[in-house]
Amino acid sequence: RTIGDRIGEAKASGNLGNTLKILGQFDEAVVCCQRHLDISQEQGDKVGEARALYNIGNVYHAKGKHLSWNVAQDPGCLPQEVKETLQKASEYYERNLSLVKELGDRAAQGRAYGNLGNTQYLLGNFSEAITFHKERLAIAKEFGDKAAERRAYSNLGNAHIFLARFDISAEYYKKTLQLSRQLKDQAVEAQACYSLGNTYTLLQDYERAIEYHLKHLVIAQELGDR
């Protein structure tokens, strides 16, 4: 501010916002991220503007998740305040998405799609969540980003469960399992086996359910995860 560096001030405000978000001070975080947005728009800095929109989305997303931890409910069955917070997150991600499309930033589009999928899932809009996660998946494949691809499969599996499309969920969870093995991530591999066990229980294929639950058990024991 002293040297009149507006772009520097905007970035510093954004960094403050992200730090306050991590500290759980969501309302203060929004103020700082909004300042980042205002200065970026005033300076015609499209990249900064996109980043600020994404960061504000993240603050509302984190706040919504934080508020919903106190109420153990299925996605979609949320108190009004949580719903409104997640809807705000979604709006900012949408604005970010249209701007990064304009900028031709595919990686940023991938991140926006993933987060839109997650917020829509929490809001109980499972079909919309699936649409966004499919876009996320396509971009992850484009970049050869195996970790993001794995997350997308997992999220697609979860959303299909709530639409009672258990057979489709099983296929997505199998892809999750395959990738977690490729990535040598045992905790995620265990989680995928657990999801498959539950899905096959829902499909009433109990033999297969037992097989996956045993695999989950073995990894949990290996990892010493009580």
Side-chain angles (χ1 to χ4, degrees):
R1 278 181 180 159
T2 311
I3 60 171
D5 175 0
R6 293 293 277 167
I7 298 279
E9 187 184 338
K11 282 181 184 166
S13 299
N15 290 337
L16 265 173
N18 291 340
T19 310
L20 287 162
K21 178 195 79 179
I22 294 165
L23 290 169
Q25 296 172 26
F26 303 115
D27 298 338
E28 295 94 321
V30 169
V31 173
C32 292
C33 291
Q34 186 62 49
R35 181 149 191 78
H36 184 193
L37 179 62
D38 294 342
I39 299 173
S40 299
Q41 285 173 331
E42 164 210 304
Q43 296 291 314
D45 174 9
K46 291 280 191 195
V47 173
E49 186 182 340
R51 199 162 290 152
L53 288 166
Y54 182 73
N55 289 342
I56 298 173
N58 284 344
V59 175
Y60 282 120
H61 193 174
K63 184 183 179 179
K65 282 200 284 195
H66 177 77
L67 290 170
S68 64
W69 282 336
N70 311 324
V71 286
Q73 281 166 317
D74 278 341
C77 314
L78 298 167
Q80 197 51 35
E81 187 192 1
V82 180
K83 232 178 232 177
E84 283 167 11
T85 305
L86 290 168
Q87 265 153 359
K88 271 186 189 160
S90 218
E91 282 159 28
Y92 280 101
Y93 288 141
E94 290 273 15
R95 285 172 63 188
N96 165 263
L97 180 62
S98 66
L99 192 48
V100 293
K101 275 183 177 171
E102 206 182 294
L103 294 166
D105 185 342
R106 285 294 278 167
Q109 286 170 46
R111 288 191 291 275
Y113 280 125
N115 283 340
L116 277 163
N118 291 336
T119 47
Q120 290 304 312
Y121 173 81
L122 290 172
L123 285 164
N125 303 329
F126 304 114
S127 298
E128 289 89 331
I130 287 166
T131 305
F132 288 128
H133 284 310
K134 280 183 173 168
E135 293 282 358
R136 177 67 192 110
L137 179 63
I139 295 174
K141 284 179 172 173
E142 230 174 84
F143 281 89
D145 184 343
K146 293 286 182 196
E149 192 182 331
R150 200 270 310 148
R151 286 194 300 275
Y153 283 134
S154 187
N155 290 329
L156 283 161
N158 294 343
H160 279 93
I161 288 282
F162 282 96
L163 294 174
R165 296 181 192 148
F166 306 131
D167 45 346
I168 299 174
S169 286
E171 292 313 308
Y172 281 124
Y173 288 142
K174 279 180 197 163
K175 291 194 158 103
T176 306
L177 181 58
Q178 221 177 330
L179 277 172
S180 63
R181 285 176 177 158
Q182 269 182 38
L183 294 162
K184 298 189 175 25
D185 187 334
Q186 275 197 299
V188 172
E189 185 183 339
Q191 184 60 53
C193 290
Y194 177 76
S195 298
L196 278 161
N198 288 342
T199 308
Y200 279 114
T201 301
L202 292 166
L203 285 164
Q204 299 182 337
D205 184 342
Y206 302 116
E207 289 297 320
R208 225 181 252 183
I210 288 168
E211 195 184 305
Y212 282 112
H213 281 309
L214 283 170
K215 283 179 181 168
H216 173 228
L217 178 62
V218 170
I219 299 172
Q221 287 169 337
E222 267 177 38
L223 295 174
D225 182 341
R226 301 289 286 173

